[in-house]
Amino acid sequence: MIDISQYDDNNVFSKILNGEIPCEKVFENDEVLAFNDINPQAPIHIVVIPKKKFCSINDFTKENDLETLGFFLRSIGDIARNLNLKDGYRVICNTGFFGGQEIPHLHFHILSGRPLGRLVS
Ligand code: AMP
């Protein structure tokens, strides 16, 4: 079962950040790195990760983390505009075991390129 209670550098996204594992980069700024998912679930499937070490969205607790979270969400908007995702997209953040999170470094998925259907009605 995934452990998101404590950050462990021995995860794939940490290794992508430090250059140990390559990625197909689509966007980067001071706070985030975005790259194509290795196992895409839609024609466009991008993973966005913060450069800071957060295991999951649970780690945003302190006031100064709000700035990072705001920057993170704004970066997703920047990516959508850069890629001209004008027909829309879905942002997913799997969290913990029940949420289906596999990699214990916070990441948001951006899915697009086709109608994705409704998840919640
Ligand atoms: P999650 O299940 O939310 O933790 O999502 C992890 C995602 O990371 C999955 O969609 C994987 O396909 C993707 N992934 C795993 N390894 C890599 C990698 N080396 N490069 C790009 N994406 C990866």
Side-chain angles (χ1 to χ4, degrees):
M1 196 184 292
I2 189 168
D3 179 9
I4 55 169
S5 64
Q6 206 174 353
Y7 192 84
D8 177 358
D9 279 301
N10 193 28
N11 72 74
V12 175
F13 292 165
S14 175
K15 289 178 180 175
I16 285 177
L17 277 174
N18 69 25
E20 269 180 72
I21 294 179
C23 71
E24 282 180 22
K25 182 164 79 175
V26 296
F27 181 89
E28 182 172 16
N29 62 26
D30 288 346
E31 299 270 341
V32 310
L33 176 68
F35 46 87
N36 288 323
D37 195 290
I38 207 168
N39 182 23
Q41 304 299 306
I44 294 171
H45 186 168
I46 295 162
V47 178
V48 189
I49 63 175
K51 291 186 175 177
K52 286 187 188 157
K53 297 176 178 181
F54 294 104
C55 292
S56 82
I57 208 158
N58 291 347
D59 293 350
F60 290 112
T61 53
K62 298 189 287 294
E63 202 177 318
N64 60 344
D65 292 343
L66 291 177
E67 204 171 301
T68 304
L69 182 57
F71 205 93
F72 196 54
L73 289 175
R74 199 177 72 195
S75 299
I76 288 176
D78 290 340
I79 293 165
R81 279 186 294 277
N82 281 1
L83 296 181
N84 198 25
L85 303 182
K86 56 183 172 25
D87 291 330
Y89 55 94
R90 177 171 294 156
V91 178
I92 296 174
C93 181
N94 298 325
T95 304
F97 175 58
F98 276 15
Q101 182 177 359
E102 287 178 343
I103 299 181
H105 180 111
L106 175 66
H107 52 283
F108 282 20
H109 299 257
I110 301 176
L111 297 161
S112 187
R114 64 168 167 80
L116 296 160
R118 288 181 63 82
L119 283 179
V120 181
S121 45

